[in-house]
Amino acid sequence: MAPGLFPPPPAALCAGLDALPAALETVLPLKAKHRDALPAGIRTLSGYLTVDREQLPRDYMSRAPLLAAYLHYFLPWNLYRQGRLLAGLGLDVRPGSRIVDLGAGPLTFGLALGLARPELRTRELEYLAIDRSETALRHGRSLFAALAPDAAWTVQTERKAAGSGRTPRADLLVAANLLNELDWQEPRRGRTADPEAETPHDRLVGRWDDQVAEAGAVLVIEPGTRSAARNLVRLREAALARGWRIAAPCPHAGECPMPGQRNRSWCHFNFAPDGAPGWLVDLGNRVRLPKDRASLAFLLLVRGDDPPVRVAGADGGPDRVRVMSEPFDLPSWRRGRYGCAERGLVLLEDDRGGRGPAPGSLLTVTWPDRPRRDPKSGALVVPRSR
């Protein structure tokens, strides 16, 4: 079993990130005036992706200043985040599988998978990237050829909006940083509306039923925000109702104890950006967007008896706990970490001097004979020695 969902970045991922600036110089050379405008473009796009989300242009990947900002700053951070997750998940993608990447942009997920898991580059996989920006797809193909020239994959791109028209059936369907750009508002219902009527999340999972092979998988990766996590919880419920199984991160199929409703915590992971390339850290400091934490939320669903995508250490059970948080101080010189289990929210106690498990670790615990509850969160307390 992998030590956790977010191990240190593998050497191949670090090498790919170090080579990215030179590849960008070839794929998208910037004139002096455009390079001078890059910091302002990065800050503008950062605002669109966070506080000014409603103002984000639908075609931002086709606008030269915003595309340049994405490729030089947001793409490498997404490669870093997704790459660390993909290294920890240990996805075993069977040769001959078809990966369909919805809202692929400049092939971000394909690049992350190829860089973080170089052993998969030797397998004959079909990778189809779909996005409404032809420019982003074209640059992505060039970057993939530059950074993974040894890949045995068949790489194809298709310009269209995610979810429109028909696509080939996927063995692995990917939606990375896509769902947060969709409109999840439900139409207002009258008093006589059917409470059992389908929600947008039900309809999306219904489309997955048609888009994914009978023995297939769906991987959704989102920013680690409360709103994104709430959407993933609802998608999780809809998928379970339709017979899908959860491969990660949940160690159980029960009610989510971290749904992000009201003042409750939400399912996401934070981790220190150890091993991030120095040029990217320097760029973040120059544009006044330094990062001391990387964050994401995700959901991996599978169905069928023999899906072509498997994940290392995905076995759940009543004694399994997924560590969800970084450590925080508790009274009496103790430290705590929140976890998710079949029994609900868990508070793992540890000595302050101990290193303890990292976020994303999957533990086997022995439950106390007389469990107590944390008065603040209501979590079931488990001493780390158990």
Side-chain angles (χ1 to χ4, degrees):
M1 183 178 70
L5 287 176
F6 305 99
L13 176 61
C14 293
L17 288 170
D18 286 339
L20 182 59
L24 286 171
E25 280 294 325
T26 302
V27 171
L28 186 66
L30 296 179
K31 297 179 179 178
K33 65 177 182 179
H34 294 146
R35 188 168 297 280
D36 292 341
L38 188 60
I42 292 172
R43 289 193 294 272
T44 297
L45 184 54
S46 176
Y48 281 145
L49 294 173
T50 53
V51 294
D52 297 324
R53 192 84 207 184
E54 289 114 8
Q55 306 300 319
L56 178 68
R58 283 182 54 83
D59 63 343
Y60 74 96
M61 282 286 192
S62 298
R63 300 189 182 192
L66 297 183
L67 178 61
Y70 181 86
L71 291 176
H72 284 82
Y73 182 77
F74 298 93
L75 171 64
W77 275 120
N78 282 334
L79 293 179
Y80 175 84
R81 279 189 290 258
Q82 293 182 26
R84 284 192 62 175
L85 171 65
L86 292 169
L89 274 176
L91 287 178
D92 184 18
V93 187
R94 187 180 304 153
S97 297
R98 177 188 291 132
I99 302 172
V100 177
D101 188 358
L102 301 177
L107 281 61
T108 306
F109 175 82
L111 284 164
L113 183 63
L115 294 179
R117 299 290 310 285
E119 68 276 17
L120 294 183
R121 297 205 297 253
T122 64
R123 299 186 181 180
E124 293 185 358
L125 304 176
E126 181 181 338
Y127 174 71
L128 172 61
I130 296 174
D131 197 272
R132 58 177 173 249
S133 171
E134 178 64 37
T135 305
L137 292 171
R138 185 175 68 253
H139 289 326
R141 288 197 68 155
S142 298
L143 287 173
F144 191 90
L147 297 176
D150 59 335
W153 302 4
T154 300
V155 178
Q156 299 174 315
T157 59
E158 185 173 351
R159 180 186 175 277
K160 67 178 180 180
S164 65
R166 296 190 61 83
T167 59
R169 281 200 125 189
D171 297 300
L172 172 60
L173 184 71
V174 176
N177 293 322
L178 170 67
L179 302 188
N180 63 87
E181 297 185 7
L182 303 181
D183 182 8
W184 294 99
Q185 296 296 321
E186 299 185 50
R188 296 178 63 87
R189 298 174 178 176
R191 293 183 180 179
T192 59
D194 181 4
E196 302 297 323
E198 279 194 329
T199 68
H201 305 84
D202 295 323
R203 290 191 289 273
L204 180 57
V205 177
R207 287 203 295 273
W208 291 348
D209 286 343
D210 296 329
Q211 292 173 314
V212 179
E214 292 183 2
V218 174
L219 175 60
V220 182
I221 306 174
E222 286 289 286
T225 62
R226 181 186 292 270
S227 60
R230 281 202 299 258
N231 274 328
L232 290 186
V233 169
R234 290 168 183 151
L235 286 171
R236 176 184 184 272
E237 294 171 350
L240 287 171
R242 286 179 173 266
W244 291 79
R245 304 188 307 279
I246 302 168
C250 317
H252 63 90
E255 182 179 352
C256 176
M258 307 181 75
Q261 302 295 341
R262 299 182 178 87
N263 295 325
R264 300 176 68 182
S265 55
W266 64 97
C267 178
H268 71 296
F269 299 92
N270 289 316
F271 48 96
D274 300 330
W279 68 265
L280 182 57
V281 174
D282 292 342
L283 177 60
N285 291 332
R286 289 204 311 272
V287 301
R288 302 192 299 277
L289 291 171
K291 285 189 183 294
D292 60 1
R293 287 291 180 271
S295 176
L296 60 78
F298 80 99
L299 186 63
L300 177 62
L301 303 166
V302 297
R303 69 175 180 179
D305 296 331
D306 190 23
V309 175
R310 300 184 181 276
V311 58
D315 53 316
D319 299 328
R320 300 291 252 173
V321 176
R322 177 76 74 185
V323 180
M324 300 300 300
S325 76
E326 294 182 288
F328 51 89
D329 290 341
L330 295 171
S332 303
W333 292 97
R334 304 286 281 171
R335 302 199 88 185
R337 293 167 176 81
Y338 285 123
C340 173
E342 189 175 286
R343 295 193 182 194
L345 188 65
V346 173
L347 175 60
L348 298 162
E349 283 189 338
D350 198 359
D351 294 327
R352 288 199 187 179
R355 184 174 181 180
S361 299
L362 189 60
L363 312 177
T364 300
V365 303
T366 301
W367 300 105
D369 295 331
R370 296 182 178 180
R372 56 188 174 90
R373 294 280 178 180
D374 174 48
K376 179 179 179 180
S377 63
L380 181 67
V381 178
V382 178
R384 180 68 183 95
S385 60
R386 292 177 176 267

